[in-house]
Amino acid sequence: MIDQKIALIQSDIIWENTEKNLENFEKKLADSTGQTDLIILPEMFGTGFTMNVNKCAEKEDGKIVSWLKEQAKIRNCVIAGSVLIEDKGRYFNRMFWMRPDGAYETYDKRHLFRMGNEHKTMSQGIEQKIVELNGWRINLQICYDLRFPVWSKNNFKDGNYEYDVLLYIANWPEVRRHVYKSLLVARAIENQAYVIWVNRVGNDGNKIYHTGNSMIVDPYGKIISQAEAGKEQTITGMLSIQELTDFRNKFMVGMDWDEFSIIVRR
């Protein structure tokens, strides 16, 4: 494992306009400087958090996923973000972990936001997804998943932690920002892991305002990098393997965690 440089792209999203959004994010990627290991885009970055599946859903060989493949190859790094996907007649808020060679892994959002009727439109994910980046194990999560600590709880077995980073992408509005800012710190502390949060800014098609507050939280629960609230901004940060290892070796709370397994309701 080596230190990883990551870029968080905090951006407005044009409601249900894939073409304009891809143009916007492509420009932001081009404007970013220096080589990074991972670039992270917000939840449903191509369309906004819409339930209009007839207009906005696409298959995995569609425009947005193809764009992700192209950009990951050009930037020579992993790019992550979620897409409204139609799969065998069902719809998913699906996060893509796109590698430079075009190979990818996916995570389907587990906890669907019923206050926005997501549960009436999307199908629920049934599997956790931990991906690997240069030896780092990264647990993929989407927005509302943040409220459910059992789903993201780290495990410690035979001297090893299940993951090193919790990665959340979101369209979480300003009116409840106190909640996510509190929970992000809690998730870092309780799991002895870095937490990354990439949220959108601006008004969506329902006139719901978002301030973003995209950030990186270290395993101590300290915010080490944060975007300015309400502003389109790309920020970068480093994940330090030395800091993570030293902290875990010094304060071995993982040895006292309760052992458990999750039974997934379908």
Side-chain angles (χ1 to χ4, degrees):
M1 293 174 68
I2 57 175
D3 292 354
Q4 298 297 290
K5 183 178 180 181
I6 59 174
L8 287 57
I9 299 185
Q10 177 171 286
S11 177
D12 197 357
I13 300 172
I14 302 170
W15 190 248
E16 298 182 352
N17 193 328
T18 298
E19 199 74 38
K20 290 292 186 182
N21 286 318
L22 296 186
E23 288 178 10
N24 178 42
F25 280 104
E26 188 164 339
K27 184 177 185 301
K28 292 181 186 302
L29 290 174
D31 289 344
S32 61
T33 58
Q35 180 62 40
T36 59
D37 299 290
L38 171 63
I39 297 172
I40 310 163
L41 311 178
E43 176 186 19
M44 293 176 69
F45 66 92
T47 59
F49 187 66
T50 177
M51 299 300 110
N52 188 353
V53 296
N54 291 328
K55 178 180 179 181
C56 297
E58 65 173 53
K59 295 184 182 296
E60 286 200 359
D61 61 356
K63 181 180 295 185
I64 301 177
V65 179
S66 297
W67 180 87
L68 280 172
K69 286 184 179 181
E70 179 184 9
Q71 294 303 313
K73 181 179 180 180
I74 291 171
R75 309 298 162 196
N76 192 32
C77 70
V78 172
I79 301 180
S82 82
V83 184
L84 174 51
I85 290 292
E86 186 272 315
D87 188 347
K88 299 177 181 176
R90 301 167 70 196
Y91 299 98
F92 297 89
N93 186 343
R94 181 167 291 173
M95 185 173 179
F96 286 80
W97 179 264
M98 185 65 67
R99 297 187 177 89
D101 63 359
Y104 61 86
E105 296 181 71
T106 62
Y107 164 70
D108 292 333
K109 187 176 182 181
R110 170 63 182 167
H111 300 94
L112 303 177
F113 187 59
R114 68 179 55 249
M115 282 66 76
N117 290 323
E118 189 179 19
H119 67 300
K120 294 181 180 179
T121 305
M122 309 291 188
S123 293
Q124 191 176 41
I126 59 173
E127 294 181 349
Q128 294 175 311
K129 175 62 68 172
I130 296 175
V131 295
E132 186 171 319
L133 178 64
N134 298 322
W136 290 78
R137 293 154 297 182
I138 302 174
N139 189 335
L140 304 183
Q141 306 269 307
I142 302 176
C143 201
Y144 191 46
D145 286 331
L146 177 62
R147 284 184 178 264
F148 304 92
V150 173
W151 187 244
S152 63
K153 186 68 184 75
N154 212 345
N155 280 297
F156 183 83
K157 188 174 182 180
D158 300 326
N160 296 307
Y161 291 82
E162 186 175 20
Y163 66 79
D164 310 300
V165 181
L166 266 173
L167 169 56
Y168 291 94
I169 57 175
N171 273 213
W172 194 310
E174 185 270 343
V175 68
R176 291 185 292 279
R177 68 176 173 176
H178 170 73
V179 176
Y180 66 69
K181 291 172 78 173
S182 300
L183 293 180
L184 290 166
V185 171
R187 296 293 166 269
I189 293 170
E190 69 194 7
N191 293 299
Q192 286 197 308
Y194 281 97
V195 171
I196 302 169
W197 170 259
V198 181
N199 194 15
R200 68 160 293 171
V201 296
N203 286 304
D204 67 12
N206 298 309
K207 294 182 169 50
I208 297 173
Y209 183 63
H210 304 71
T211 52
N213 301 102
S214 301
M215 68 179 77
I216 303 171
V217 186
D218 74 11
Y220 293 88
K222 298 176 183 176
I223 298 172
I224 59 174
S225 185
Q226 184 172 12
E228 186 176 337
K231 180 179 179 181
E232 290 193 303
Q233 188 177 13
T234 298
I235 62 171
T236 59
M238 295 293 296
L239 305 183
S240 168
I241 184 57
Q242 190 67 53
E243 179 177 315
L244 178 65
T245 302
D246 287 349
F247 177 51
R248 285 176 168 179
N249 288 340
K250 180 172 64 176
F251 197 73
M252 301 184 69
V253 66
M255 295 182 69
D256 297 314
W257 285 341
D258 298 313
E259 293 186 14
F260 68 96
S261 58
I262 296 176
I263 299 174
V264 176
R265 291 185 301 164
R266 296 175 183 262

